[in-house]
Amino acid sequence: MRAGSRRSAGKAGCIRHVAVQVENAGKGHVKGAGRTGIRRSAGKTGGVRRAGGAVGVIATGKSGRARAVPHAGRAARASRAALAGRAQGRLRQGSAQRRHASAQGRRAAARAKQRTAMRRAPQPAPHASSPQAMPASGAGPAPRQTTHPQGVVALPAGREGAAASAGSANGVPPAAAQQAAQAAVPGGYAAGYRDGVYAGGEALVAKHIPPDHILPAVAASDLIEAGFRQYAPSLTRLASPHELAGHIMAALDEQRPLSVVRLGDGELLTLAADTVLPALEVQELAPFLPYAGVPCSTPDIRAMLAEAIQGADWVGVPISRAPTFQGLLFPVLRHFGINWSSLKLTSSTINYSLHHSRLLLPILQGRRVLLIGSQVADLGVLLHQHGVQIAGILPSVAGMADIPRVMQHAAEHTFDIALVAAGIPAVVLCRRIAGELGKVAFDFGHLADKLVTGELQF
């Protein structure tokens, strides 16, 4: 007898057992033989074997030759395995489809967001010598402009003591962000930018070129540069931070009134409503006006603002030539009969410029300071830590209608200078504090918020 096999004789003939892997199903006796082992059973029907999990019966016929008959359990298990495999495959396919759809949705949302950002994006940043101005209502710091006494004609100077350049609602995104947006939507931003540059430059030049003529090798930028030199005598310089700090400290030393107000997009859009722009357009351009203290621009509110601007000692105006900044400044002043050349002008971001030039604390230290506005309680703590004497705090101004109450409470305090962080009403409050109480009043704006939150520090 050879290893791994056994010969048996009887009426059923001869059965040759092949050595295979045996699994014990039930209480039957398992006996190993050969490389994989076998299960032996006695009887005339032959032996049962399992090889790799496939079960069959080895039956013999009259010929004495063995034949394998598949076990019924094998088909059932195979059927269940096939069903389970197909179900698993469908689950995997559905999961893959969901992941693909989710990824597609995220990519579509990203593209939509990029398109929205590019539609809202302003033109590329101006040259470093032409910093953007920020809204006087306090959207954030902006670069300071260098200035000269009013009326002196000179080209713009350097940017010593410039303020931080981030934060305006009309601010310009960094070049890297513009490049990323341009790359994200091939042809979209780039094509729109090219069309905009052409419409605002070469297309305007073309209107002045007579028929059948060209202007060889002269770009629109060359013409702008040449024209700018022609208009250079019209340049008006604004009071610098050091100049304005000198005026404020002189007024404090001499105990005479002085008001510094600032005009940003909030003030200008309030004045423009139903005067130089339709009120509905102003509502669309400035949904923030209620937060800034003007739920609705009325003739009375516009008259109060115009009167305060006309009577203020110093008026901060925006450097930005954007539509809601200088684009509104001069039409609005003209409408209300205010001669801009008679005003003493500084930048609308003079509050930030004084801070970044480290002139704010020297102005306030040794003075009695009245704080007016929503964040001034925390600001008072901060200023006190830097040696500033707080004479009083008026912690809220509920819009333009609340100005009489605030003035009444301000009159109850003894102070040298008032810092007013009250949105658009600050323009009227500063003018009235100087005119009626004989004190120095400064439109402090959102510089208060930025100092309190630590975004800016002394």
Side-chain angles (χ1 to χ4, degrees):
M1 184 179 294
R2 288 179 295 179
S5 67
R6 181 175 180 177
R7 186 183 300 269
S8 64
K11 291 181 180 181
C14 179
I15 300 175
R16 185 168 183 246
H17 297 276
V18 181
V20 294
Q21 177 68 38
V22 177
E23 293 180 6
N24 187 7
K27 297 181 180 179
H29 177 68
V30 178
K31 181 177 181 181
R35 182 175 296 178
T36 57
I38 61 172
R39 178 178 179 184
R40 300 176 60 195
S41 64
K44 297 179 180 181
T45 57
V48 179
R49 74 174 181 183
R50 297 190 181 196
V55 178
V57 177
I58 301 178
T60 59
K62 293 181 179 180
S63 63
R65 298 178 63 184
R67 62 187 180 88
V69 180
H71 195 282
R74 176 183 181 182
R77 284 192 296 274
S79 176
R80 287 195 298 271
L83 289 173
R86 286 195 292 271
Q88 245 185 0
R90 285 194 294 271
L91 286 173
R92 285 194 296 268
Q93 183 180 9
S95 177
Q97 288 174 344
R98 286 192 296 273
R99 287 195 299 270
H100 180 68
S102 176
Q104 280 187 326
R106 288 193 298 269
R107 287 193 293 270
R111 288 194 294 269
K113 186 175 181 180
Q114 289 163 351
R115 287 194 294 270
T116 301
M118 288 186 291
R119 283 196 298 269
R120 295 177 179 177
Q123 293 181 358
H127 191 270
S129 62
S130 303
Q132 290 287 89
M134 304 299 301
S137 55
R144 179 188 69 79
Q145 62 236 297
T146 46
T147 57
H148 295 270
Q150 186 172 350
V152 177
V153 176
L155 292 175
R159 302 181 306 283
E160 179 184 2
S165 59
S168 172
N170 289 340
V172 178
Q178 289 183 338
Q179 292 171 0
Q182 182 175 348
V185 186
Y189 181 89
Y193 177 71
R194 285 195 303 269
D195 291 345
V197 169
Y198 173 76
E202 300 295 347
L204 295 177
V205 172
K207 292 180 180 180
H208 298 278
I209 297 177
D212 302 323
H213 288 76
I214 63 173
L215 189 61
V218 179
S221 58
D222 299 326
L223 295 173
I224 292 173
E225 183 179 354
F228 189 83
R229 287 196 294 269
Q230 179 181 348
Y231 282 96
S234 299
L235 286 170
T236 300
R237 306 195 76 173
L238 310 178
S240 71
H242 287 81
E243 289 172 336
L244 189 62
H247 288 291
I248 294 174
M249 295 179 79
L252 289 169
D253 292 339
E254 299 167 10
Q255 298 184 356
R256 56 179 172 81
L258 183 77
S259 58
V260 181
V261 305
R262 302 178 304 109
L263 305 181
D265 54 349
E267 290 78 9
L268 295 173
L269 284 164
T270 298
L271 291 167
D274 280 332
T275 56
V276 300
L277 288 178
L280 183 60
E281 184 176 350
V282 169
Q283 290 177 6
E284 294 174 352
L285 290 170
F288 58 86
L289 285 183
Y291 164 77
V294 181
C296 180
S297 177
T298 64
D300 289 343
I301 289 176
R302 294 192 290 270
M304 289 171 61
L305 272 177
E307 182 181 1
I309 294 168
Q310 181 76 68
D313 295 291
W314 289 93
V315 180
V317 295
I319 297 175
S320 171
R321 298 175 64 87
T324 57
F325 288 89
Q326 279 193 36
L328 284 179
L329 173 64
F330 297 103
V332 160
L333 294 180
R334 185 164 52 249
H335 176 86
F336 287 96
I338 300 173
N339 181 7
W340 67 266
S341 63
S342 67
L343 301 176
K344 295 178 180 178
L345 300 178
T346 187
S347 166
S348 61
T349 58
I350 189 63
N351 51 342
Y352 295 103
S353 299
L354 288 173
H355 170 70
H356 285 281
S357 300
R358 300 187 180 277
L359 295 169
L360 186 58
L361 282 178
I363 291 174
L364 301 178
Q365 287 170 337
R367 316 290 182 177
R368 296 167 297 181
V369 180
L370 175 66
L371 302 176
I372 302 175
S374 60
Q375 293 283 351
V376 295
D378 293 333
L379 179 63
V381 174
L382 184 62
L383 290 174
H384 180 72
Q385 293 172 351
H386 288 81
V388 176
Q389 179 184 353
I390 306 301
I393 293 176
L394 303 180
S396 65
V397 179
M400 299 288 281
D402 201 28
I403 289 177
R405 180 193 69 84
V406 175
M407 285 298 303
Q408 180 180 355
H409 286 289
E412 297 171 358
H413 292 80
T414 301
F415 63 96
D416 300 312
I417 180 172
L419 302 181
V420 186
I424 297 171
V427 175
V428 178
L429 282 169
C430 287
R431 172 68 187 105
R432 289 188 60 177
I433 288 171
E436 297 175 19
L437 303 181
K439 305 297 182 179
V440 175
F442 183 77
D443 185 353
F444 205 64
H446 277 300
L447 178 58
D449 303 78
K450 295 184 182 297
L451 289 171
V452 167
T453 61
E455 183 176 345
L456 296 176
Q457 298 179 352
F458 287 111

